[in-house]
Amino acid sequence: MAVTASMVKELREMTGAGMMDCKKALSETNGDMDAAVEFLRKNGQAKAEKKAGRIAAEGLVKASVKEDKVAAIVEVNSETDFVAKNAEFQGFVDAVVEQALGTSAADMDAFMAETWNEDPSKTVQDALTEKISVIGEKLNIRRFEKITSEGCVVAYIHGGGRIGVLVEADTNVVNDEIRTCLKNVAMQVAAMSPKYVSRDEVSQEFMDHEKEILLAQAKKENPNKPDNIIEKMIVGRLNKELKEYCLLDQVYVQDSDLTVGKYVEKVAKENNAEVTVKKFVRFETGEGIEKKVDDFAAEVAAQAGM
């Protein structure tokens, strides 16, 4: 399969690897993007997918919470940042998140087919179509999630709607201190983007896959080391990865002497409470959506000699 400039651009943005490394990876894997990512990771050239899907698109993430028990978060996209800052668009996003707060839909198709709260003669899809005609730009209600909790759920919006987070906890005490604690945890999620709440959520399949990647990296870096030393290196590196991937194992950004888990335990003890972080949802505006950059592919092609 011929490797194109646009493929090199996409892989480069996904992995943070160099342009020529991306071209080589795609050539070695016959243009298979997933296999190319694996190739780069095994050779230590990809940055562990930390930049995956960070291609910008415009719009807003908004969230709403009702009485600590019900929360919703939505992402609504626009073509330009100018529209994302427009009061008409922002009012529409407010209405969408309130719609999500009361929805019974399990997926986007059902959500878009629901009766629009602000006008029962329309569906959510009708309201979106109407707003597109008013604003004159393509809009998209991309995703939503709703949490109904028996404990407490909080929301945090960062950067005026660039990132939104919901955090749910099982707790027998709900007061200002507990809410503040969970809001701080939500800020941690926004900043550090964990994959899991705790190690209990990490599948064996994921562990085996990461071990394979780390083994390839370790053998490439240390070809003369015996297998038992390599194995110890892998264990150490995997534990380090899990401390980044798992929220409760992460170093708490507001107090580096604590992990997030220890911080929650500390606040719970101070309030004679039992608090267990159960779930988080993190939406980042435009995450995984490719936005055209004029002439970038041509620039890559010229530099890569394509």
Side-chain angles (χ1 to χ4, degrees):
M1 180 179 179
V3 176
T4 66
S6 62
M7 291 167 66
V8 173
K9 170 180 174 289
E10 181 180 355
L11 184 60
R12 187 183 184 190
E13 289 173 337
M14 287 175 67
T15 63
M19 186 169 56
M20 298 310 295
D21 291 330
C22 290
K23 182 181 177 184
K24 179 180 179 181
L26 287 163
S27 298
E28 293 287 336
T29 58
N30 198 31
D32 185 316
M33 197 63 65
D34 291 337
V37 172
E38 293 285 293
F39 179 90
L40 289 169
R41 290 192 68 198
K42 286 179 178 178
N43 285 277
Q45 292 157 333
K47 297 178 181 177
E49 301 174 329
K50 285 185 179 179
K51 294 188 178 180
R54 293 292 188 243
I55 307 168
E58 308 305 336
L60 288 174
V61 173
K62 288 202 175 187
S64 182
V65 181
K66 183 178 180 182
E67 298 175 348
D68 300 318
K69 302 296 183 184
V70 182
I73 186 169
V74 301
E75 179 187 355
V76 183
N77 298 118
S78 61
E79 289 185 72
T80 64
D81 183 55
F82 177 77
V83 163
K85 295 175 180 177
N86 177 279
E88 176 112 17
F89 177 78
Q90 292 188 359
F92 178 66
V93 181
D94 286 336
V96 173
V97 76
E98 291 306 312
Q99 180 85 26
L101 197 62
T103 191
S104 58
D107 55 44
M108 282 305 304
D109 289 340
F111 182 73
M112 298 303 290
E114 277 189 343
T115 299
W116 181 235
N117 285 346
E118 299 198 347
D119 185 343
S121 69
K122 301 172 185 176
T123 64
V124 176
Q125 180 62 60
D126 293 336
L128 174 64
T129 301
E130 184 178 272
K131 194 59 63 176
I132 290 170
S133 67
V134 171
I135 291 178
E137 186 169 298
K138 182 180 178 182
L139 311 176
N140 180 45
I141 302 173
R142 185 185 181 200
R143 52 183 171 169
F144 77 94
E145 188 149 348
K146 177 181 176 180
I147 294 177
T148 301
S149 177
E150 294 182 359
C152 181
V153 58
V154 301
Y156 170 69
I157 298 295
H158 177 77
R162 188 171 65 85
I163 298 172
V165 176
L166 299 180
V167 169
E168 180 193 7
D170 287 334
T171 176
N172 60 342
V173 175
V174 179
N175 59 23
D176 288 345
E177 287 77 12
I178 298 298
R179 292 188 195 94
T180 298
C181 170
L182 297 181
K183 182 68 69 72
N184 287 336
V185 172
M187 292 171 67
Q188 175 92 17
V189 173
M192 304 306 293
S193 192
K195 294 178 181 290
Y196 309 100
V197 173
S198 70
R199 298 192 185 201
D200 294 340
E201 295 181 359
V202 182
S203 69
Q204 189 60 47
E205 180 182 3
F206 176 85
M207 296 282 282
D208 291 342
H209 178 261
E210 289 303 301
K211 283 180 181 178
E212 180 186 343
I213 297 294
L214 293 171
L215 178 62
Q217 290 177 352
K219 286 188 173 181
K220 184 177 179 64
E221 294 167 6
N222 305 275
N224 298 320
K225 283 197 182 327
D227 288 346
N228 64 319
I229 300 299
I230 293 288
E231 182 65 29
K232 289 179 181 178
M233 290 172 62
I234 291 172
V235 171
R237 290 183 183 185
L238 185 58
N239 280 329
K240 183 178 179 182
E241 278 195 5
L242 290 174
K243 287 179 181 179
E244 295 178 1
Y245 291 157
C246 299
L247 172 63
L248 298 181
D249 283 343
Q250 288 182 344
V251 174
Y252 180 44
V253 293
Q254 297 188 46
D255 185 345
S256 60
D257 291 333
L258 300 173
T259 63
V260 174
K262 292 298 182 184
Y263 164 66
V264 174
E265 287 179 14
K266 176 176 175 286
V267 175
K269 185 176 181 180
E270 291 169 352
N271 287 270
N272 295 315
E274 295 177 7
V275 182
T276 303
V277 177
K278 185 177 179 182
K279 179 178 182 178
F280 67 82
V281 179
R282 183 185 188 276
F283 285 177
E284 183 165 351
T285 304
E287 188 174 24
I289 301 175
E290 183 167 4
K291 187 170 87 171
K292 289 183 180 178
V293 179
D294 293 339
D295 297 326
F296 188 89
E299 178 188 335
V300 173
Q303 293 185 40
M306 297 180 184

